[in-house]
């Protein structure tokens, strides 16, 4: 069971009403941090907004218009979202000051370091 | 009265040996799910304007060194090779082709890979305009 749970629009990728789609994402626990990877092609750093408030990690990204107006569709299969939104409830103690994120080639990686109290401790045996 | 039973196609188990908990397992899932959902395998989005065709496909997390683009006649093929493989194993590839409707000036085709989106620009060959022939 994951300690990071999706907060809104979780059951479906199809959000036909909302312009912001939920991106494909994964969460993984590393030794001293949780790592969230979200697939957000077409998003640049300046389009990203990442906030952490009330134990919710909120990621919002607006995609710039990828296609000039002069382009006419010939065979378009994918649903291109106007942007992405992902809200994850974080149920584990993390050091919110030390959250970091990187974006490369359309993949966002957010690192949520565990707080000192939550880090695994080696217990010495007397 | 005939009984209709639902036949479920067997699914091949994915071999995760090559990938481990890294980015490409997400990449795999992305395209696997898309392929199962769509009637056809995931294809390019194809657009045009008066002078060019534009083919776009999302390749998140892929570096351009891993991408091979080939234009053979009017078929454009993209092949993505996984970067990390075990020694001696052949690198797994993902490939997709699109048929471009019109004649293309192959030597003027360009492509860019930016923010996980591959855009290929294919200039159309200019067809000679009809010439009026006067009868003397």
């Amino acid at each position: 069971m994951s300690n990071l749970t999706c907060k809104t629009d979780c059951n479906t990728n199809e959000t036909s009403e909302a312009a912001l789609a939920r991106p494909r994402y994964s969460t993984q626990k590393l030794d001293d941090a949780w790592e969230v990877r979200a697939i957000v092609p077409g998003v640049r750093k300046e389009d990203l907004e990442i906030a952490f408030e009330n134990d919710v990690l909120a990621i919002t990204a607006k995609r710039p218009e990828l296609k000039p107006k002069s382009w006419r569709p010939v065979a378009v299969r994918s649903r291109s979202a106007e942007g992405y939104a992902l809200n994850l409830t974080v149920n584990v103690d993390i050091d919110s000051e030390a959250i970091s994120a990187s974006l490369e080639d359309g993949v966002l990686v957010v690192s949520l370091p565990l707080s000192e109290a939550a880090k695994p401790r080696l217990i010495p045996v007397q | 009265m005939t009984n209709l039973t639902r036949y479920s196609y067997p699914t091949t188990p994915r071999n995760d040996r090559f990938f481990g908990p890294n980015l490409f397992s997400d990449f795999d899932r992305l395209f696997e799910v898309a392929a199962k959902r769509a009637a056809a395998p995931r294809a390019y989005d194809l657009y045009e304007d008066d002078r060019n065709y534009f083919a776009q496909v999302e390749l998140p997390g892929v570096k351009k060194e891993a991408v091979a683009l080939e234009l053979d006649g009017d078929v454009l093929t993209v092949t993505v090779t996984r970067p990390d493989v075990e020694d001696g194993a052949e690198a797994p590839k993902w490939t997709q082709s699109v048929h471009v409707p019109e004649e293309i000036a192959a030597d003027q085709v360009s492509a860019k890979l930016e923010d996980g989106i591959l855009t290929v620009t294919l200039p159309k060959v200019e067809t000679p305009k009809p010439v009026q022939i006067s009868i003397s």
Side-chain angles (χ1 to χ4, degrees), chain A residues 22-49:
Chain A
R22 179 170 69 88
R24 202 153 287 280
Y25 74 97
S26 66
T27 60
Q28 187 183 10
K29 182 169 191 294
L30 306 176
D31 281 337
D32 55 358
W34 273 89
E35 195 177 79
V36 177
R37 287 174 182 263
I39 298 186
V40 290
V43 168
R44 301 163 311 191
K45 272 205 284 248
E46 51 267 28
D47 305 317
L48 260 182
E49 212 177 82

Side-chain angles (χ1 to χ4, degrees), chain A residues 29 31-34 92-95 112-116 118-120:
Chain A
K29 182 169 191 294
D31 281 337
D32 55 358
W34 273 89
V92 65
D93 264 336
I94 60 165
D95 182 358
L112 306 153
L114 300 176
S115 66
E116 283 306 316
K119 278 192 190 154

Side-chain angles (χ1 to χ4, degrees), chain B:
Chain B
M1 180 156 72
T2 51
N3 278 339
L4 291 174
T5 45
R6 185 189 176 123
Y7 178 63
S8 33
Y9 285 85
T11 49
T12 47
R14 240 163 21 93
N15 185 354
D16 276 324
R17 190 158 49 94
F18 294 118
F19 306 127
N22 74 10
L23 170 67
F24 274 97
S25 45
D26 297 329
F27 183 73
D28 276 344
R29 274 203 297 274
L30 176 69
F31 284 102
E32 256 190 21
V33 173
K36 279 188 200 139
R37 257 193 224 150
R42 183 180 175 85
Y44 290 78
D45 287 341
L46 195 59
Y47 298 87
E48 67 174 331
D49 64 14
D50 291 336
R51 310 187 56 195
N52 301 295
Y53 279 103
F54 305 96
Q56 266 194 349
V57 68
E58 291 179 356
L59 300 176
V62 175
K63 300 275 180 218
K64 61 180 184 201
E65 293 76 35
V67 181
L69 261 186
E70 188 181 271
L71 179 64
D72 187 359
D74 54 1
V75 177
L76 178 68
T77 302
V78 68
T79 306
V80 178
T81 306
R82 308 284 189 268
D84 38 6
V85 290
E86 295 173 1
D87 293 326
E90 190 181 308
K93 296 180 199 292
W94 171 89
T95 184
Q96 194 55 260
S97 298
V98 69
H99 168 73
V100 185
E102 250 174 69
E103 287 224 342
I104 296 298
D107 50 348
Q108 290 167 42
V109 175
S110 63
K112 67 173 179 183
L113 179 57
E114 214 167 40
D115 301 321
I117 297 193
L118 176 71
T119 305
V120 187
T121 303
L122 306 123
K124 301 178 185 176
V125 168
E126 285 192 20
T127 47
K129 300 211 180 354
V131 175
Q132 302 291 348
I133 303 167
S134 56
I135 304 166
S136 54

